[in-house]
Amino acid sequence: MLIGEFAKRVGVSTDTIRFYGKVGFFSSSRSENGYRHYTEKDIETADLIASGKSIGFSLREILAFSQEMADGVLDHARAQESLQSKINLIDERIASLKRVRKLAQQQLDYCRAVEAQELSV
Amino acid sequence: MLIGEFAKRVGVSTDTIRFYGKVGFFSSSRSENGYRHYTEKDIETADLIASGKSIGFSLREILAFSQEMADGVLDHARAQESLQSKINLIDERIASLKRVRKLAQQQLDYCRAVEAQELSV
DNA sequence: GTAAACCTTGGAGTACGCTCCAAGGTCCAG
DNA sequence: CTGGACCTTGGAGCGTACTCCAAGGTTTAC
């Protein structure tokens, strides 16, 4: 599949796809005329990028992670270590989010209480 | 308190503090010689910035949020709306993180299973 | 009175993640 | 064979969030 169709399928611009390519993502196969080609595996990679980005990982982190996933078959120990540290990081982020959520909830409760009081005066 | 002490207390560089000031954070009081002054309230603001950043909000989002918190007393309806939408956003991020965590966990389990099999062969 | 440790400003530079553009090649339909 | 829709490259530009000067004023300690 060519870059236009690929970009449409994963929901980003062709410029963004080329940029991701420069960073190191995707198989870099080209046809004779120089056109880039993308596969279903590249779609998976693009989905991984989207997921990674949505939870706050940088492109380089996602690249390192996806390469470790690919190397997983060869180097179990390192892959497991990396995956475990990623999971720990995610757990920390979830904990952080929950703390801030609690703050916001308290503020919201306080807002509502003040409002109720004002209405009753 | 002057900028150096303040920066040390909140754990960032003085340059970063000045940058946050330019963005619109902190009370902008100065002594006669032009030195910036910071209060305990500014420490709270700096903590809010740290929390917000850690969960992926931009400085502008955090600024808007902190201003809405301050305006809360004046405009309950808008503050409540904003807080609720922030909470919803946080919930979405937590859900996203949990999805990716599950993926990573599955990958890790798979890695371990393959390893165990290889050892038994 | 001078050195060290503060503070000020403005502006340049950096890394990230795009986004846009110009100039040009390719492919296909009518 | 021409128009339109593709594709290529390189390079510029942008917003975010700093980071690092240089040049100079202030304060404190000896």
Side-chain angles (χ1 to χ4, degrees):
Chain A
M1 149 186 35
L2 298 184
I3 197 167
E5 191 190 339
F6 179 61
K8 216 170 262 174
R9 271 190 64 186
V10 302
V12 302
S13 73
T14 55
D15 272 329
T16 299
I17 294 297
R18 282 190 206 99
F19 177 73
Y20 289 166
K22 261 182 220 163
V23 171
F25 292 102
F26 310 133
S27 51
S28 45
S29 76
R30 304 266 187 138
S31 36
E32 280 204 347
N33 58 19
Y35 288 14
R36 288 169 181 82
H37 278 284
Y38 298 89
T39 65
E40 292 303 314
K41 191 152 189 288
D42 293 326
I43 297 265
E44 278 173 43
T45 302
D47 287 344
L48 182 73
I49 295 173
S51 301
K53 269 165 48 81
S54 81
I55 60 172
F57 287 112
S58 73
L59 289 181
R60 273 76 184 177
E61 283 174 313
I62 299 166
L63 182 63
F65 183 67
S66 75
Q67 284 171 346
E68 276 154 14
M69 297 275 268
D71 293 354
V73 186
L74 302 168
D75 190 346
H76 293 303
R78 193 173 298 172
Q80 283 182 31
E81 234 172 78
S82 163
L83 279 163
Q84 189 58 62
S85 80
K86 244 67 180 176
I87 289 172
N88 293 345
L89 219 153
I90 290 170
D91 285 343
E92 272 170 43
R93 291 222 173 128
I94 290 175
S96 266
L97 276 164
K98 283 186 174 166
R99 271 196 300 279
V100 178
R101 192 197 188 285
K102 200 174 167 187
L103 272 178
Q105 187 67 57
Q106 280 168 358
Q107 189 71 20
L108 183 57
D109 292 345
Y110 172 75
C111 258
R112 287 197 176 131
V114 171
E115 197 181 40
Q117 205 182 359
E118 275 171 8
L119 289 174
S120 74
V121 172
Chain B
M1 138 187 45
L2 298 183
I3 197 166
E5 192 190 338
F6 179 62
K8 215 169 264 174
R9 272 190 62 186
V10 302
V12 302
S13 73
T14 55
D15 272 327
T16 299
I17 295 298
R18 282 189 206 100
F19 177 74
Y20 289 167
K22 260 182 219 162
V23 171
F25 292 101
F26 311 133
S27 51
S28 46
S29 76
R30 304 268 187 135
S31 37
E32 280 203 346
N33 58 19
Y35 288 13
R36 290 169 180 82
H37 279 284
Y38 298 88
T39 64
E40 291 303 316
K41 191 153 189 286
D42 292 326
I43 298 265
E44 279 173 43
T45 302
D47 288 345
L48 183 73
I49 295 173
S51 302
K53 267 166 46 79
S54 81
I55 61 172
F57 286 113
S58 73
L59 288 182
R60 272 73 185 179
E61 284 174 312
I62 299 166
L63 183 62
F65 183 68
S66 75
Q67 284 170 348
E68 277 154 14
M69 297 274 269
D71 294 353
V73 186
L74 303 168
D75 190 346
H76 292 303
R78 194 172 300 171
Q80 283 182 31
E81 232 172 82
S82 162
L83 279 163
Q84 190 58 62
S85 80
K86 245 68 179 178
I87 290 172
N88 292 344
L89 219 152
I90 290 169
D91 286 343
E92 273 170 41
R93 292 222 174 128
I94 291 175
S96 266
L97 277 165
K98 283 186 174 166
R99 270 196 301 278
V100 177
R101 190 197 189 288
K102 200 174 166 185
L103 272 176
Q105 187 66 59
Q106 280 168 0
Q107 188 71 22
L108 183 57
D109 292 345
Y110 172 75
C111 259
R112 288 198 175 129
V114 171
E115 197 180 39
Q117 205 182 359
E118 274 173 8
L119 287 173
S120 74
V121 172

